[in-house]
Amino acid sequence: MDIQIQWFPGHMAKARRQVQDALKLVDVAFELLDARIPVSSGNPMIGEILGNKPRLIILNKSDLADPNMTKKWIKKLERPGVKAIAMDTIKGEGLKEVPKAAAALAAEQMAKLAAKGRRPRAIRCMVLGIPNVGKSSFINRLVGRKATKTGDLPGVTKGQQWIRTAGALDLLDTPGILWPKFEDPEVGFKLAITGAIKEQVFDIYDVSIKLLQWLVENNPEKIKERYKLTDLTPELPTLLKDIGARRGLLIAGGEVDTFKAAHLVLKEFRDGILGRYTLDLP
């Protein structure tokens, strides 16, 4: 099943220009990716915009991803001028690695400034990523206080702001950037199920049916265990109804509320209740 999703609010074109303008002010770019979908959650434009700027790739939400796959992704993503770390911004795991990695990436730039007789200053870092990848939570963790407005809805961060951390880092927050076209329908699907796209712009029922298909193919026992089903019918709409019936998601007349059932499956996948998965393979 192909799911076509297009979403490019006008403010995102403006955001790209803001990033390009601010890039000359920073020493290191922090790019946040969703550890479950490191390719699909990466904006192809960011590579073009950053050029040779030192980059720290942060695989966020690593607590929801397959840990072995995350290790493989870190190896694949690292190259000269690019470091990668896994992080869980909710628990703060991986946080201590950030200042160390930033210092290593900015060492050459800091040495140049020292050679010119400039006084030592904080390393200036720009935080980039698509909406809802956890940028605001990441900044709040790094700063140690509620520095930015956070929320579960994509696109909460509308403007740019500099934030001083307790360590030797200055952070420049940027609006989330998505690209104008998802060339691959699978990318749209993965962004939808992980929560990067507003639910108003895709059909929750269609997406949950496709997600169920993926889960049945990859971990059918988890579906049986979670929803107390002895058998999984190959008819996915019926399977969704079975799940809804098990959870008592009924409307008048005893019919299953398929919208609520679809929403349940989507939420439990996003929360990691149905297992830890990496959908993009290295």
Side-chain angles (χ1 to χ4, degrees):
M1 182 200 299
D2 279 355
I3 295 174
Q4 298 294 336
I5 300 168
Q6 300 297 333
W7 188 51
F8 192 64
H11 75 265
M12 290 192 181
K14 182 184 171 190
R16 177 179 178 158
R17 290 193 298 274
Q18 287 177 332
V19 170
Q20 287 171 319
D21 291 344
L23 201 55
K24 50 188 169 286
L25 304 173
V26 306
D27 307 307
V28 180
F30 291 169
E31 181 185 9
L32 265 74
L33 301 175
D34 187 321
R36 296 167 294 179
I37 50 169
V39 175
S40 302
S41 63
N43 181 338
M45 291 194 302
I46 286 178
E48 297 168 23
I49 295 167
L50 295 182
N52 294 322
K53 184 69 68 176
R55 188 182 346 178
L56 175 61
I57 296 174
I58 295 156
L59 294 175
N60 192 28
K61 306 187 184 183
S62 60
D63 58 312
L64 300 173
D66 178 329
N68 293 324
M69 284 294 175
T70 300
K71 285 176 190 168
K72 289 179 181 178
W73 269 114
I74 287 171
K75 278 186 183 175
K76 185 171 177 67
L77 291 167
E78 287 195 330
R79 54 191 185 273
V82 180
K83 285 186 170 294
I85 61 171
M87 187 158 175
D88 168 9
T89 51
I90 305 301
K91 294 181 186 148
E93 288 172 8
L95 192 70
K96 290 177 183 173
E97 301 299 314
V98 175
K100 287 190 274 186
L105 288 164
E108 193 179 327
Q109 173 66 6
M110 294 294 118
K112 283 179 185 173
L113 293 175
K116 291 177 183 175
R118 300 276 287 275
R119 288 170 59 189
R121 62 160 172 78
I123 298 167
R124 294 173 182 162
C125 309
M126 179 190 285
V127 185
L128 295 155
I130 67 168
N132 219 32
V133 81
K135 288 199 291 44
S136 297
S137 299
F138 165 72
I139 289 169
N140 292 342
R141 270 283 177 186
L142 212 53
V143 174
R145 57 188 162 81
K146 195 168 174 63
T148 65
K149 185 179 178 186
T150 61
D152 291 331
L153 295 175
V156 166
T157 315
K158 287 293 189 286
Q160 287 181 323
Q161 53 182 325
W162 280 100
I163 301 139
R164 171 64 52 88
T165 73
L169 300 179
D170 280 349
L171 301 181
L172 178 62
D173 188 19
T174 59
I177 308 173
L178 267 182
W179 55 101
K181 193 173 185 184
F182 308 134
E183 299 290 349
D184 182 354
E186 284 299 305
V187 170
F189 164 66
K190 289 170 186 176
L191 290 170
I193 63 171
T194 52
I197 304 174
K198 293 176 182 176
E199 291 185 354
Q200 297 93 312
V201 301
F202 65 86
D203 188 309
I204 287 176
Y205 178 82
D206 286 349
V207 166
S208 71
I209 288 288
K210 187 172 167 67
L211 172 58
L212 263 184
Q213 181 183 355
W214 190 91
L215 288 167
V216 167
E217 289 168 2
N218 288 275
N219 197 353
E221 292 309 311
K222 188 68 182 178
I223 298 292
K224 287 183 190 175
E225 176 201 330
R226 177 65 188 163
Y227 300 116
K228 297 181 170 52
L229 299 167
T230 49
D231 292 304
L232 300 183
T233 171
E235 297 298 320
L236 295 168
T238 306
L239 177 56
L240 185 64
K241 284 183 179 178
D242 290 346
I243 291 169
R246 274 290 183 187
R247 284 305 170 85
L249 303 175
L250 307 175
I251 51 178
E255 284 287 309
V256 172
D257 187 329
T258 51
F259 178 80
K260 279 189 178 174
H263 209 276
L264 172 77
V265 171
L266 208 52
K267 184 179 188 308
E268 296 205 332
F269 174 83
R270 288 174 182 172
D271 291 346
I273 294 167
L274 297 179
R276 294 175 67 172
Y277 302 107
T278 300
L279 289 90
D280 286 341
L281 305 181

